[in-house]
Amino acid sequence: MTAGGLLAGKASAAVAATGAEAPMPHASKSFGLQIYSLQQELYNDLPARLKEVKAMGYERLELAGYGKGKIGKVDMMEFKKMAEDAGLKIVSSHVNPSVEGVPFLRDYTKELTPKIMEYWKATAADHAKLGCKYLIQPMMPNIPDHDAAKLVCDIFNQAADVIKAEGIATGFGYHNHNMEFNRVATEEQKAKMKGNPFAAFMKVGDQIYDLMLRDTDPSKVYFEMDVYWTVMGQNDPVEYMQKHKDRIKVLHIKDRAVFGQSGMMNFEMIFKQMYANGIQDYFVELEKMPDGRTQFAGVKDCAAYLANASFVK
Ligand code: MG
């Protein structure tokens, strides 16, 4: 706050003296960015691109593309140095477990659990070196029924212990898409619907996201709610934030494309609830731009949207 205030003061003095253009509206706001948003454009002269990201108003990064000590094709410690040189802090990272022979593991089993823990141990050690506060799994394993959900939750709890032991105190983070709002039903739940002429139109069983909230340990596992994918899963992110204040600790702020253009997202309510819950960290995320413009142009427009939004502090 003090540093920002000083910088803002200096900028105003310079403007007054030279009559140069007004300071950027986001001078007092700063945002986090999930680097997936920039796709491969980020790697076309990485040091310069990272500086552009900083100039847009972003100060914190959530990584994507980690594998074997690299982010994308760049050595992770070199990536960290370039980010720091640009004035960006690496706060978080998205990683999906892979085991020998299965680069992107979806089918969890009891037998594979030790291998999954080996993955988390090595991955958490690397991310502790990067200085990450959060280590987050962004993709759902296959969950066809309640038993699978229970096993996945047990594995998340165990992974949290491994991650904490490597020095990342927040534990295990989970990021959703829309498939977590699919339902799984027990035989008993299905039987109750038998003979009901409206069965095909009714919601039967439990949403997987609710099972995850129920069966993971609150002292170990937290949730990074992607507000767009929650809406795509026909649920209300604000309601979830109200109900699960202690579990949803990070957000992905996202729209179908550039913020505010789809009309699908009530960002004002989302930010209001985010501040009420005391959530400190959120990351802007942008899917592939639909209109042929660059990802950088879209990410810049998202920052401008937040900078100009009166509800964003
Ligand atoms: Mg997301």
Side-chain angles (χ1 to χ4, degrees):
M1 191 63 209
T2 312
L6 284 172
L7 286 173
K10 274 186 190 167
S12 308
V15 169
T18 63
E21 64 183 64
M24 294 286 280
H26 58 61
S28 63
K29 296 184 187 181
S30 72
F31 319 113
L33 178 69
Q34 163 52 256
I35 65 168
Y36 162 84
S37 310
L38 296 165
Q39 308 272 334
Q40 285 308 304
E41 290 172 23
L42 176 63
Y43 294 99
N44 158 30
D45 192 353
L46 182 59
R49 296 289 88 79
L50 288 168
K51 283 172 190 155
E52 278 178 50
V53 166
K54 175 71 184 344
M56 292 175 190
Y58 295 99
E59 284 190 352
R60 296 170 296 283
L61 298 182
E62 180 178 71
L63 302 177
Y66 163 84
K68 293 185 179 143
K70 289 184 175 179
I71 306 299
K73 289 174 184 154
V74 182
D75 174 86
M76 67 176 199
M77 296 312 282
E78 279 174 36
F79 194 111
K80 177 180 161 74
K81 172 83 171 57
M82 287 182 220
E84 284 169 358
D85 287 348
L88 297 163
K89 183 166 171 46
I90 296 170
V91 176
S92 179
S93 183
H94 274 195
V95 299
N96 278 291
S98 52
V99 299
E100 215 180 302
V102 190
F104 188 83
L105 185 69
R106 299 289 307 278
D107 294 309
Y108 288 12
T109 61
K110 271 204 177 87
E111 294 68 34
L112 278 172
T113 306
K115 294 270 180 207
I116 297 171
M117 294 310 140
E118 275 173 34
Y119 171 86
W120 283 112
K121 186 171 163 52
T123 301
D126 274 354
H127 285 82
K129 284 182 208 156
L130 286 169
C132 277
K133 181 178 176 187
Y134 304 113
L135 186 56
I136 297 172
Q137 176 165 335
M139 294 295 284
M140 192 177 87
N142 288 325
I143 299 184
D145 53 34
H146 280 77
D147 287 346
K150 187 73 178 65
L151 176 68
V152 164
C153 290
D154 288 347
I155 288 175
F156 287 178
N157 287 334
Q158 285 183 54
D161 289 335
V162 173
I163 292 166
K164 285 187 181 201
E166 294 302 321
I168 298 178
T170 49
F172 179 98
Y174 185 77
H175 162 280
N176 65 284
H177 290 85
N178 54 341
M179 63 277 261
E180 288 81 359
F181 299 96
N182 290 344
R183 286 170 189 267
V184 288
T186 59
E187 291 311 315
E188 199 185 351
Q189 286 170 328
K190 286 180 201 164
K192 272 189 191 160
M193 299 304 290
K194 218 177 169 189
N196 186 325
F198 301 107
F201 307 105
M202 293 178 78
K203 292 173 175 174
V204 183
D206 299 301
Q207 291 192 143
I208 292 167
Y209 201 74
D210 298 334
L211 297 176
M212 288 178 166
L213 283 160
R214 188 189 74 187
D215 292 334
T216 55
D217 182 338
S219 71
K220 298 177 181 183
V221 176
Y222 61 93
F223 292 80
E224 177 185 62
M225 176 162 264
D226 185 309
V227 296
Y228 168 77
W229 285 118
T230 302
V231 168
M232 289 297 279
Q234 299 187 347
N235 277 263
D236 175 2
V238 174
E239 191 184 324
Y240 265 96
M241 280 191 269
Q242 286 167 346
K243 275 193 196 160
H244 301 283
K245 282 191 170 67
D246 57 332
R247 305 303 304 279
I248 298 169
K249 296 193 175 164
V250 191
L251 295 182
H252 264 196
I253 297 295
K254 182 179 166 86
D255 202 333
R256 178 175 284 169
V258 170
F259 293 175
Q261 293 185 353
S262 76
M264 291 172 66
M265 301 302 302
N266 190 334
F267 286 120
E268 182 161 5
M269 291 291 284
I270 288 166
F271 272 86
K272 212 172 151 188
Q273 193 62 50
M274 182 184 93
Y275 294 127
N277 285 20
I279 294 174
Q280 308 260 336
D281 293 299
Y282 66 87
F283 300 97
V284 166
E285 187 175 50
L286 176 70
E287 285 295 335
K288 211 141 175 27
M289 286 286 278
D291 59 5
R293 291 193 307 143
T294 64
Q295 295 301 117
F296 265 81
V299 164
K300 191 175 181 184
D301 285 356
C302 289
Y305 174 89
L306 297 177
N308 291 319
S310 58
F311 54 80
V312 178
K313 289 178 194 167

